């Protein structure tokens, strides 16, 4: 009788194990952020110019957002300890003229990726609180609409295109 | 030999010599770079607060870039390209022949101190590179002479807007849309190549710099 009960329990355990392995991943976005790097920048350059941060220094952060999930997501904000503000920006080339402007959100498609790179999408750090020198590292927090906040380590490089 | 024979040989040799001279001249012409414009000899202020006349670079080949230091994306790439060119120029032993000049088109924010810090954090080699700011009207005229398009775009609370805003507690700054270009200037101060700024191919730039260095006198 004990033997029958033991076999029954083993079958039940194996069944549950197989069911757990076979179950599909939870629906939704699955976000990863890869290869984050930033440009060098000098803290507190210059003075204000009658504006809230008209004289503050800047840098840019680049990375790749990968979404392996079956639902889209959107990057809606950035926080960083090394700058007063961090904004999502995009540079567009029109002929040989570079035009940059803020963007409120960046859509991350399901099972897709979005590359933040020079002359394209980037995070603009405004009002650096410390110098960013080649070899330094710091952290930014990316805020996604569905995935919430993700902390990302960033290394400073003078990378060329 | 009859006299007419030697006369014919002489004419033939003259013809061959003339053809050779024409070919050499055509080769030189084909190799020489076009002349676009002359860089004016106007005064600016360097990263240490000293007056620097652009004419001081005459006699050397000049690599000239225009940037603003608050640009986080394209201008750092222009500077990085120029750094690569500077390193390659040094590797070829041409540092005494080539001078690098970066001029801001945002003099209101880019003071000498700002330019110095911008360069220092990038570990720029100042031995043959100067960063210049200056009188806003002088810089505006320089952008016109060089064909550098600039347009301020004010950003109020994260939203770009045309025209000049009147700040009233709002978060206001400005970005500058601008031409992405690096100039190669010959020893006479004439622009001889327009390179695509942040997209400049180092090999192409160095090849043209070598040609300009070889030009000891006006072509």
């Amino acid at each position: 009788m004990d033997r029958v009960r033991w076999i029954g329990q083993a079958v039940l355990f194996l069944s549950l194990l197989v069911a757990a392995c076979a179950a599909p991943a939870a629906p939704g976005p699955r976000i990863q952020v890869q290869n984050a790097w930033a440009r060098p920048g000098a803290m507190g350059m210059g003075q204000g110019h009658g504006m809230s941060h008209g004289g503050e220094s800047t840098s840019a952060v680049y990375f790749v957002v990968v979404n392996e999930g079956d639902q889209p997501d959107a990057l809606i904000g950035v926080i960083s300890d090394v700058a007063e503000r961090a904004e999502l920006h995009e540079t567009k080339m029109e002929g040989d003229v570079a035009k940059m402007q803020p963007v409120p959100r960046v859509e991350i498609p399901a099972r897709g990726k979005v590359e933040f790179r020079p002359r394209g999408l980037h995070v603009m750090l405004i009002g650096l609180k410390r110098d960013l020198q080649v070899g330094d590292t710091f952290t930014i927090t990316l805020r996604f609409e569905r995935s919430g906040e993700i902390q990302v380590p960033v290394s400073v490089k003078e990378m060329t295109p | 030999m009859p006299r007419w024979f030697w006369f014919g040989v002489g004419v033939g040799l003259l013809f061959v010599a003339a053809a050779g001279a024409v070919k050499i001249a055509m080769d030189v012409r084909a190799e020489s770079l076009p002349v676009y414009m002359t860089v004016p000899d106007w005064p600016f202020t360097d990263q240490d607060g000293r007056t620097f006349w652009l004419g001081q670079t005459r006699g050397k080949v000049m690599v000239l870039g225009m940037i603003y230091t608050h640009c986080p994306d394209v201008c750092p790439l222009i500077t990085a390209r120029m750094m690569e060119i500077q390193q390659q120029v040094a590797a070829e032993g041409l540092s005494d022949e080539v001078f690098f000049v970066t001029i801001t088109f945002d003099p209101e924010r880019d003071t000498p101190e700002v330019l110095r810090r911008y360069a220092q954090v990038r570990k720029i080699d100042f031995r043959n590179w100067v960063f210049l700011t200056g009188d806003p009207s002088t810089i505006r005229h320089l952008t016109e002479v060089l064909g550098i398009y600039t347009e301020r775009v004010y950003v109020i609370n994260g939203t770009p807007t045309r025209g000049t805003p009147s700040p009233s507690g709002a978060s206001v700054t400005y970005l500058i849309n601008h031409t992405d270009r690096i100039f190669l200037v010959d020893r006479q101060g004439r622009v001889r190549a327009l390179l695509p700024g942040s997209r400049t191919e180092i090999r192409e730039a160095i090849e043209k710099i070598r040609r300009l260095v070889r030009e000891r006198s006006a072509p």
Side-chain angles (χ1 to χ4, degrees):
Chain A
M1 195 62 184
D2 281 351
R3 188 183 178 116
V4 171
R5 187 186 297 165
W6 184 87
I7 291 173
Q9 286 176 341
V11 168
L12 178 63
F13 173 76
L14 286 173
S15 301
L16 288 172
L17 190 65
V18 168
C21 292
R30 281 194 294 150
I31 298 293
Q32 284 187 326
V33 181
Q34 303 170 345
N35 304 327
W37 64 282
R39 294 197 179 287
M43 175 188 71
M45 299 189 308
Q47 302 159 359
H49 192 246
M51 300 176 188
S52 61
H53 58 265
E56 295 175 354
S57 56
T58 62
S59 179
V61 185
Y62 308 96
F63 44 81
V64 180
V65 182
V66 178
N67 181 5
E68 294 179 339
D70 60 0
Q71 301 279 328
D73 205 340
L75 180 58
I76 56 173
V78 188
I79 305 166
S80 176
D81 289 341
V82 300
E84 299 290 343
R85 293 175 59 187
E87 297 177 354
L88 299 170
H89 280 227
E90 183 171 24
T91 301
K92 289 185 175 174
M93 297 299 297
E94 292 183 9
D96 62 354
V97 174
K99 296 189 171 184
M100 189 172 70
Q101 64 176 27
V103 291
R105 58 191 278 127
V106 177
E107 303 295 335
I108 313 294
R111 295 192 181 89
K113 69 177 182 180
V114 174
E115 196 168 350
F116 286 63
R117 60 186 172 190
R119 293 188 297 270
L121 286 166
H122 55 276
V123 169
M124 182 168 174
L125 301 176
I126 301 163
L128 295 177
K129 296 177 183 175
R130 65 177 174 91
D131 286 354
L132 301 180
Q133 308 236 19
V134 172
D136 289 352
T137 57
F138 62 94
T139 301
I140 59 172
T141 303
L142 301 183
R143 290 177 49 230
F144 291 90
E145 195 167 62
R146 301 185 65 184
S147 300
E149 294 187 349
I150 297 178
Q151 291 206 324
V152 179
V154 180
S155 53
V156 180
K157 301 177 185 177
E158 188 65 89
M159 188 175 280
T160 53
Chain B
M1 287 286 180
R3 185 177 291 176
W4 61 264
F5 173 80
W6 293 112
F7 180 75
V9 167
V11 169
L13 287 173
L14 276 174
F15 180 77
V16 169
V22 167
K23 182 176 186 312
I24 289 169
M26 288 178 70
D27 287 348
V28 168
R29 189 172 179 80
E31 191 180 317
S32 75
L33 299 168
V35 175
Y36 291 96
M37 62 202 83
T38 298
V39 176
D41 181 16
W42 292 339
F44 295 89
T45 304
D46 74 9
Q47 72 278 350
D48 295 319
R50 297 172 300 208
T51 299
F52 187 98
W53 292 76
L54 277 183
Q56 288 177 233
T57 62
R58 302 280 160 87
K60 295 191 176 189
V61 173
M62 174 166 56
V63 180
L64 171 64
M66 292 199 76
I67 64 158
Y68 74 113
T69 66
H70 290 71
C71 173
D73 192 31
V74 170
C75 296
L77 280 173
I78 294 174
T79 305
R81 300 269 87 173
M82 290 175 67
M83 286 173 69
E84 283 185 271
I85 294 170
Q86 187 190 35
Q87 288 160 5
Q88 186 61 37
V89 161
E92 298 196 11
L94 298 175
S95 293
D96 291 340
E97 307 282 349
V98 184
F99 201 84
F100 293 77
V101 176
T102 295
I103 306 176
T104 179
F105 43 69
D106 186 17
E108 287 87 350
R109 293 188 295 191
D110 287 341
T111 62
E113 180 197 355
V114 169
L115 291 173
R116 188 173 68 251
R117 298 212 63 206
Y118 175 87
Q120 282 175 335
V121 82
R122 289 171 167 77
K123 297 183 169 52
I124 296 287
D125 182 352
F126 287 115
R127 283 177 295 183
N128 60 341
W129 195 336
V130 71
F131 283 71
L132 302 179
T133 185
D135 174 65
S137 68
T138 304
I139 287 181
R140 190 176 64 253
H141 284 121
L142 182 68
T143 60
E144 291 166 1
V145 168
L146 295 177
I148 292 282
Y149 169 84
T150 63
E151 175 196 23
R152 273 191 198 186
V153 178
Y154 286 89
V155 180
I156 304 174
N157 291 333
T159 304
T161 181
R162 302 284 173 185
T164 306
S166 51
S168 56
S171 168
V172 182
T173 188
Y174 60 88
L175 307 168
I176 300 178
N177 297 331
H178 61 88
T179 306
D180 180 18
R181 188 169 292 162
I182 294 172
F183 301 89
L184 299 185
V185 183
D186 68 14
R187 297 176 192 275
Q188 287 81 44
R190 301 172 306 179
V191 173
R192 302 291 297 280
L194 308 175
L195 304 177
S198 66
R199 301 152 292 167
T200 296
E201 294 290 337
I202 302 303
R203 187 186 302 178
E204 179 197 356
I206 291 295
E207 191 269 328
K208 288 179 174 169
I209 288 170
R210 282 196 209 108
R211 283 202 221 175
L212 294 178
V213 167
R214 283 199 298 268
E215 287 183 0
R216 292 284 166 183
S217 56

